[in-house]
Structures are given as C-alpha cells and as structure tokens.
Amino acid sequence: MRILCRLSILVFCLMAPAYPKDAVSAGTVVQVSGADSTVRLVPRTVLLDPTGTLSPTEALRKLDGPEAIEETAVYSHGYIPDVLWSRIVLEVEPDAAGDWYLTLELPNFDRLQVFDVTASGEPVPLTELGDRVPETTDIQTRFHIAALDLPPGRSQFLVRGRTSSTMTLDLNLRKIDRLLDEEQDFFALQSFYLGIATVFTFAALGLFAYTRQTIYLVYMFNLIAHSGVWLLINGTGPGHLWPELAHSWHVDPHIFVAMTIAGTAAFAAMFLSTARIPRIIRIIIWSIAAAGIGLMALCAVVPQESMYWANNLTSVIVLPVAGLLLVVTAFGLFRGEPAARPLMLTWVGLIGAVVIAWIRDLGIVPSNAFTLAGPQIGSVFEMIVFAFMLLQRLGRIQSEKEEIQRAALDAARQQEAVLEQRVADRTAELTAAMGREREARRLQQQFVSMVSHEFRNPLAIIDSAAQNFSPGHAADQGRLEKIRAAVRRLRGMIDTCLIDERIRGGEMHLQRERLEICELIEDAADMLRAAGDGIRFEMELPDGPVMTNADARMIEIALSNVLDNAVKYSPAGAPIRVSVVATAREIEIGVADRGPGIPEAERERIFERHYRAGQSTRNSDGAGLGLFLVRSILAAHGGTIECTEAPGGGALFFLRLPAAPATAGAGT
C-alpha cells in the first residue's frame, strides 16, 4: 500500500505546475483599503520545506532567495507532505486600519501558524488556524478565522502550513460585517442543498419500507456520503452543525469521498442487476464498490502523519473509477440497454465535477468559488438523476405489478369460465344420471311389483294345495309342512323386497293394531322349525300377554329376519335363546345365537343397507337387507335394535318396542 501511495504522489509531482522562480518583487505587496471589502492575500511568495525543519527565521531568509515562488493566484500544490512557508506583505490605508479577520478559506487544513514580522525582521508567533488547533474566536463560520488588529502602513506576516489534505493556501482578510453577510448567502445555498438531500433521504427510507428493496438503502448510503463530503469540504459541518465536536474529533472528508465511490458503484450495480449486460460488467462495478469500502477503511485507520498518502490515493482513484464507470455504462448503452441512459447522464455530470476538483488539486486552475462549488453542483445533479432513476424503476415495477395483476385477473376469469362450463357439464351429467336413476327405480319398482304379483299367486296355490292335501302316511304330513314353510319363507323374502322398496320411496304406511308379541314370536319360530331339521329355540316368555300397537305384518317380518339371522349363524343343533322382558312402557325382545359373533367395530354397520359382516366371521349368503329392514321397521314403530356379545359367545340382539297401554284398544 505504501508503494502504491508513493506512486500516486509521483504522478501528482509529474503533473504539478511549474511555478516561476523569480525573486521577490514589489508585486508581492497586497493593498488593503475599504472598510467593507474582502482582501485576498495574493500576490505573495511561497517556499516548500520538504523536511519541515526550517525555523521561521531561516524560512523568512529563504523567501528572499531564488528558491521562493511568487504566487499571483491561489493554486493547489496537491497532496504533499512538505511544509509550506509564505510571506505576505500588506499596505494598509489609514482609513482601513483596525479590526480585521484573517480567514483560511479551505476548511480542511490541519495547522497554519501565523507570525508577525517585526520592524527588526524577527518573526513573532501571532495566531494559529486549522482543524488541529482550537478556534481563536466564538464566531461560527465555515472558515478558520482569527482576529487581527492591522495598523496603518506596511505590515509583514509569515505563515507556516502543513496538512494531510491538498496544500492550498487560500487566505483572505474580511471585516466582520462583510464576513457575516457572505456567510448568510453561503448557508442559504447550503440549506437548499441539505434540504434536497434530506427530502431524498426520507423518500428513499419510505420507499424501502414500502418495497423492502435494498437499492433504496444504497441510495440513502450514497446521499449520506455526498452530504458528508460537502459538509466537511465547505466547512458547514464543523463550522455550524457540530462545532463543539469538531474541536475534539477530526473527521477527514476523504472517508466520505471513498464512501461516495462505494455507494455510487453499488447503486449502479443494483440498478443494472436486471439489465441485459454481461456478468463481467456487474463484477467490475461491484469490484469498484468494494474498492470504495477498502478506501474508507484505509482513511479511517491510517495514522495522522501518513494521512496525506491515503487522501492522495483516494483522490487519484476517483477519476479512473469514474472513467471506468463511464466506459462500462457506455458498453451497456451500445448494447441498447435502456437502464444505461440515465447512468450515462449521471457519469457525464459526475466526471465533469471530478475533473474540476482534480485539476484544481493539481494546481492547473486556481481555487475560487467556481472550482470549489462546481463539484458540489455535480453532486446535486447526481442525486437528482439517481432519484429520477429510482422513481422510474418504481414506476416500472408498479407497471409490471399491474400487468401481472391484470394477467392474473384474466387467468382467473378464464379459469372461472372453465369452471362454470365444467359445473354446467357436470350438472347436466348429474341431471341425466338422476333421470336414468329415477327411470331405473321406476322399472325396478315395476319389476318388483310384477314379481310380487306373479309369485304370490303360484305360492298361494301351492300353499292351498299342500294345506288341502290329505296324506296317506304320517311321513307325508311332515313333507307337506316343509312345503308350506318353504312357501311362507319365500313369501317373506318377497315381502322383504317390497318393504325395502317402500322404504326407498318413503312409502312405508303402518296398519297398526293391538298385537300380542309372544304369539308373533312363536309363529315365526314355528315357521323356521318347519323349514329345517334340528332347529331349536329356548323361549323365556312371560306368563301373561305382552301387548303392543303395531303393524302385524311388519313386526312379523322383523321378528322372522332376526330369528332367521340367528339360525343362519348358529352351529347345527345349537339352541337359539329368545327372551321377552316387558315393562309398562317398553317391550324388550332378546335373541341370542351361539355363532362366531360380530366384531365390535362392525356392530353398528350391520344395520346398513347391503352391508354384511366379514366373511371370515360370519360366512353365509345373503343380500344384506334383513337387519336393515328390521331397524327401519322398528324405527317406524318408535323402537330400536342393538347388537352386543352374547354370554358364552355369539351375537345377542335386543329389539325394543313401545308397550301398549293396558286399557288401549286396537287401532290403526
């Protein structure tokens, strides 16, 4: 790093202007007149002391020698570690004598010592100005100032200066009224500049809060960097905003110059992130931003005695960096990238400002109001253009968002139309399916009615013939009973189908009458005994009658289905236990078999239509309608059916029906 700094100093030395080596002439006398004037202390003679070892007396002697330089304008000597000596001769008019203020126009000057040269030629310390010394007055200005009492006639002053910034000896004499008037005009301009920066900063902060995009924070970073540069360079910050802090803590503006490099490059890289430019271009721009961060760190940690090396390096890098940004942006502009246009405009203004500052620091042009304020105008221009770019970017993002929303809305409408069409098609299909189902149900009902009619007549004939037939042998009587039981069983199956159709169609109409429930149970048991050999029932029936109001045919079917179900799943010869328990309000009929039983998880589902327990548990053929019809019939009568595990194994069904009042008569 030290080698790089020395090379940068060498560049400046090669490009520095050659000052004339003429001897001191009468032209070095500055005429001081007028009570409201500003007197710029040129012409004067200057001397560079590379070692910094000259005493004031030796320096005063050498200023009369051939190595002294006569200045007729304020020029910068660049970033040099030398000590600058200068002699100033004043010719004060009698009416101008009195209180004046010596102002060091460059706020970033470390230390300037002022000596009063007596009549005997002896330099006597008079005052000190600069960042590294306490202020000599309580007047807050952007300058370093000291009060002088100028007598009429000729006065001679010797000044010694050393700084880590550019060596520019810009000394003026002002009366207090003139000083305050000029300060008022200057700070009106600076207030305008800071107002713009503040407005843009809060706008960027609000946009970041709204969009959560980092580029707005980078823009704020850039605004802070620019503001810091000019607050320090023109003295607004240490002179007015933080004078007490400035007396105890020195902040070098070159840190903010490096910060500006980092912020500007980072903003350009992020702004071009979506542009159609090669990746290497973005890498170059981000590298410039990283270099700016590195310069910031260098300016922050470098020792004070070597500060001018870091400042010089920063100053040397600024112009090549700006030129490199201009080149890569021109490449994007050549490729027709719209995002490169405002950046190109920004770089042109920025490079113009940098060039002015650069050639001023080299001493090619004098330091004056234009060369000092011109770069700040370029800074304002960059802030405004960057703000315009952000607004343009925000507008583009908003337009893209609206376009996406419109596309999403169109897609939603298309999807809605597709869904509506699908719903319409599905509705039509369901309507057609319901029509087909209704037609199928109608045909099914018609078929069931036809089967019922066609079957009932032959069955009635068979039953009548069997009943009227007189067997010649006793064995034939048993066969006739089996025929009649089979006929009744078949008629029960037909009735089951008819009842199921009634339930489906919601047409179950009960013909209630007063019934004795035990008689119905014994009739159903007798019919099953007659239909098969070895069927046994163990009856536990009350001694007296058990009455209920119910549809006799429906209850008969329900009882037959439950008993038949028990017969199916009981082992051959195992008894079916039937019990009846009656109370004043309810009749409970229990039917227990000795079969494999029904798993608990299926005890509710067996009452669903067409559901049958697992084949591994209850292996028997059937349509799965019997228990469903039983529950439906009982529910129509206000009763219930429940399945549990029988003691000793098997299934136990409880059928519950409302009991008929003791005095109730038969009814419908």
Side-chain angles (χ1 to χ4, degrees), residues 376-442:
Q376 188 172 7
I377 296 174
S379 173
V380 174
F381 180 74
E382 177 184 328
M383 287 194 304
I384 294 175
V385 175
F386 276 8
F388 170 77
M389 293 163 62
L390 287 177
L391 289 176
Q392 190 180 44
R393 174 190 178 94
L394 183 62
R396 184 172 63 253
I397 292 174
Q398 188 66 27
S399 299
E400 292 174 354
K401 180 180 178 181
E402 292 175 356
E403 184 63 29
I404 292 173
Q405 289 177 343
R406 283 194 296 268
L409 183 59
D410 292 341
R413 287 174 178 171
Q414 294 177 0
Q415 186 66 21
E416 183 180 4
V418 171
L419 290 176
E420 288 179 353
Q421 184 60 42
R422 289 180 178 176
V423 169
D425 294 343
R426 185 61 177 165
T427 302
E429 293 176 1
L430 290 175
T431 302
M434 290 175 64
R436 291 192 296 270
E437 183 179 0
R438 284 193 295 269
E439 180 64 18
R441 184 177 296 278
R442 186 188 65 80

Side-chain angles (χ1 to χ4, degrees), residues 72 146 625 663:
T72 57
L625 284 176
T663 60

Side-chain angles (χ1 to χ4, degrees), residues 453-630:
H453 181 269
E454 296 299 327
F455 280 19
R456 280 182 180 275
N457 289 335
L459 290 175
I461 294 173
I462 295 173
D463 185 53
S464 177
Q467 185 178 2
N468 294 327
F469 183 78
S470 298
H473 299 87
D476 293 338
Q477 184 64 36
R479 295 189 185 96
L480 291 176
E481 289 298 328
K482 289 183 179 180
I483 292 173
R484 294 192 64 195
V487 169
R488 288 195 300 270
R489 185 177 180 84
L490 186 57
R491 288 175 60 185
M493 294 175 60
I494 294 173
D495 289 339
T496 296
C497 293
L498 289 175
I499 294 173
D500 183 54
E501 286 300 318
R502 291 178 185 176
I503 293 173
R504 288 176 182 267
E507 299 178 353
M508 182 183 290
H509 301 293
L510 300 180
Q511 300 295 325
R512 291 181 181 271
E513 58 181 300
R514 189 175 175 84
L515 301 176
E516 207 287 314
I517 200 68
C518 295
E519 292 180 359
L520 293 178
I521 294 173
E522 290 179 345
D523 289 345
D526 291 341
M527 180 184 67
L528 290 173
R529 289 191 192 96
D533 296 331
I535 297 176
R536 296 169 52 199
F537 290 98
E538 293 180 356
M539 300 290 184
E540 297 179 9
L541 305 179
D543 295 334
V546 179
M547 308 304 295
T548 183
N549 287 330
D551 186 308
R553 184 57 185 156
M554 293 292 183
I555 297 301
E556 180 184 353
I557 292 173
L559 293 173
S560 298
N561 281 332
V562 173
L563 295 177
D564 184 54
N565 188 75
V567 170
K568 286 181 182 178
Y569 299 111
S570 287
I576 309 299
R577 186 170 63 86
V578 180
S579 64
V580 175
V581 177
T583 65
R585 300 182 59 184
E586 185 180 64
I587 303 170
E588 182 181 82
I589 304 168
V591 179
D593 61 42
R594 294 293 183 270
I598 300 174
E600 184 176 359
E602 298 185 10
R603 289 175 186 171
E604 285 297 324
R605 298 200 61 192
I606 59 174
F607 299 107
E608 298 176 5
R609 177 185 277 117
H610 302 306
Y611 182 84
R612 302 180 67 249
Q615 292 296 319
S616 61
T617 304
R618 301 177 69 83
N619 187 18
S620 179
D621 296 333
L625 284 176
L627 293 178
F628 166 74
L629 292 178
V630 172

Side-chain angles (χ1 to χ4, degrees), residues 39-165:
V39 180
R40 200 164 201 191
L41 300 183
V42 289
R44 63 194 172 207
T45 54
V46 299
L47 175 70
L48 295 178
D49 178 11
T51 62
T53 58
L54 290 178
S55 67
T57 303
E58 291 173 331
L60 190 61
R61 179 178 54 82
K62 286 194 174 188
L63 282 168
D64 291 329
E67 64 266 35
I69 302 169
E70 182 180 349
E71 286 188 339
T72 57
V74 178
Y75 284 94
S76 172
H77 295 267
Y79 294 90
I80 59 174
D82 301 6
V83 172
L84 178 70
W85 294 91
S86 178
R87 185 180 63 182
I88 302 171
V89 181
L90 305 179
E91 188 68 44
V92 183
E93 297 293 332
D95 62 344
D99 294 331
W100 288 79
Y101 283 89
L102 177 65
T103 62
L104 179 56
E105 304 287 307
L106 187 67
N108 301 280
F109 202 102
D110 292 351
R111 184 184 298 271
L112 183 73
Q113 297 169 287
V114 182
F115 300 88
D116 183 15
V117 181
T118 64
S120 62
E122 185 68 23
V124 177
L126 180 61
T127 187
E128 285 187 314
L129 302 172
D131 296 336
R132 304 295 178 178
V133 297
E135 296 293 341
T136 59
T137 71
D138 294 331
I139 302 174
Q140 293 184 2
T141 70
R142 69 185 188 276
F143 311 122
H144 298 297
I145 64 174
L148 296 180
D149 185 9
L150 296 180
R154 178 170 293 213
S155 298
Q156 187 176 182
F157 297 96
L158 177 68
V159 297
R160 178 185 187 274
R162 186 173 188 181
T163 183
S164 59
S165 185

